[in-house]
Amino acid sequence: MEEKETSPQSAAEKKYYTISAITKACTILDTLAAKQSWDLAELARTAKLPKTTVHRILLTFEDSGYVQQEQHSKRYYLSHKVFTLANAVLAGSNLREVASPPCKDLLAQFNETVNLCVASGTDMVIIDKYVTSQTLRPDNIVGSSFPIFYSASGKAYLAFSESGYFQEILPKIKQETAPAVNDTAFEAFLEEIAEVQKTGIAFDNEEIYQGVRCISAPLFDFSEHSVGAISVTAPTVRLTQDRIETISQALLKTAKTISQRLGSSNPLFKTV
């Protein structure tokens, strides 16, 4: 017998712009969030939707990385990607306000562009920027995104991210960079991440734009995992070795100030 589909929204309540499939998908997300994992039949009953509909939605979410299925029990649960999105929203709203004065001070100190970034999937997104007055300067806008693999802010963020996220995102980064990035290059990337974990400073050595370099440091909150990164971006010609070292130390001090205001006492900053 064919299952009768019950819409989460009655015909009287339905607005002209409503897309039924999205409404159902949102219902599934809300239901999945109610507990750790779900059996398909149980999820369908609770969401008041047919199993076939729920199964298709789950498979779509799984393909997009928002839902995972346990290998043995076959139960479904929300992936870490959902948490990452939520964390980016929370971090972005509070982070911009907290980071603004220290980032302005950093801009004033070096007159080089300062970017504030958070993670979104395998990319880093600029959520705020403080622009140099110099004519020769990078011209990225708020909302621009860069791959974690190539960006200094991505390396800084990834090096101190929560272990579950780290293990989950690495295969996706590798997949997205293939075939341009071979196994040897990816191993070099992991070695670079390990070095960032020691120093707290990450570099983009003209990996995104030729003639432009970036230096970055991670930002932490009370969880002591990275919630974003700040970076100084400048033309390569202005970044002498002495200036790189000076900016790196200033970045760590700025990151410490911002992180402490977010509730962190991360040991990375003990010697700063």
Side-chain angles (χ1 to χ4, degrees), residues 28 31-32 35-52 54-55 58 67-70 72-78:
I28 296 301
T31 308
L32 281 167
K35 67 177 187 177
Q36 188 171 0
S37 65
W38 292 82
D39 171 80
L40 174 60
E42 179 189 21
L43 180 62
R45 284 195 305 271
T46 305
K48 298 179 181 179
L49 290 168
K51 280 174 61 177
T52 52
V54 173
H55 191 226
L58 287 172
V67 168
Q68 292 181 330
Q69 187 180 30
E70 294 174 353
H72 301 294
S73 68
K74 302 302 181 183
R75 294 173 69 86
Y76 292 91
Y77 61 96
L78 291 174

Side-chain angles (χ1 to χ4, degrees), residues 134-194:
Q134 301 187 73
T135 304
L136 184 60
R137 63 192 180 201
D139 194 27
N140 300 319
I141 62 173
V142 172
S144 297
S145 62
F146 309 99
I148 286 176
F149 184 87
Y150 296 108
S151 64
S153 60
K155 296 167 191 174
Y157 174 82
L158 185 61
F160 298 93
S161 61
E162 193 272 328
S163 59
Y165 170 82
F166 186 90
Q167 295 303 324
E168 179 184 319
I169 207 70
L170 279 182
K172 296 178 182 179
I173 292 174
K174 189 172 185 179
Q175 183 179 14
E176 288 190 6
T177 55
V181 175
N182 57 29
D183 289 342
T184 301
F186 199 79
E187 284 299 319
F189 169 71
L190 294 179
E191 290 174 5
E192 190 174 353
I193 294 298

Side-chain angles (χ1 to χ4, degrees), residues 69-258:
Q69 187 180 30
E70 294 174 353
Q71 186 174 358
H72 301 294
S73 68
K74 302 302 181 183
R75 294 173 69 86
Y76 292 91
Y77 61 96
L78 291 174
S79 75
H80 200 276
K81 186 173 182 178
V82 176
F83 172 79
T84 301
L85 291 178
N87 192 51
V89 172
L90 292 173
S93 59
N94 189 41
L95 187 54
R96 288 181 65 178
E97 181 179 350
V98 171
S100 182
C103 286
K104 288 177 180 177
D105 290 343
L106 193 61
L107 170 63
Q109 186 176 354
F110 297 103
N111 196 19
E112 298 291 0
T113 297
V114 177
N115 292 319
L116 179 65
C117 302
V118 297
S120 178
T122 57
D123 292 334
M124 296 298 289
V125 179
I126 299 175
I127 62 169
D128 211 352
K129 64 180 296 186
Y130 306 85
V131 183
T132 176
S133 61
Q134 301 187 73
T135 304
L136 184 60
R137 63 192 180 201
D139 194 27
N140 300 319
I141 62 173
V142 172
S144 297
S145 62
F146 309 99
I148 286 176
F149 184 87
Y150 296 108
S151 64
S153 60
K155 296 167 191 174
Y157 174 82
L158 185 61
F160 298 93
S161 61
E162 193 272 328
S163 59
Y165 170 82
F166 186 90
Q167 295 303 324
E168 179 184 319
I169 207 70
L170 279 182
K172 296 178 182 179
I173 292 174
K174 189 172 185 179
Q175 183 179 14
E176 288 190 6
T177 55
V181 175
N182 57 29
D183 289 342
T184 301
F186 199 79
E187 284 299 319
F189 169 71
L190 294 179
E191 290 174 5
E192 190 174 353
I193 294 298
E195 184 62 24
V196 176
Q197 290 169 338
K198 297 176 184 177
T199 65
I201 292 293
F203 298 95
D204 156 18
N205 295 308
E206 301 184 72
E207 293 168 66
I208 297 178
Y209 298 117
Q210 187 174 1
V212 176
R213 293 191 67 188
C214 185
I215 312 167
S216 184
L219 301 174
F220 303 90
D221 65 3
F222 58 88
S223 72
E224 303 303 354
H225 298 301
S226 53
V227 294
I230 54 168
S231 63
V232 170
T233 305
T236 302
V237 294
R238 290 207 295 265
L239 290 179
T240 62
Q241 189 57 44
D242 287 345
R243 201 159 189 245
I244 287 172
E245 292 175 5
T246 305
I247 290 174
S248 296
Q249 287 305 306
L251 263 173
L252 285 173
K253 290 179 180 178
T254 304
K256 178 180 181 178
T257 299
I258 296 169

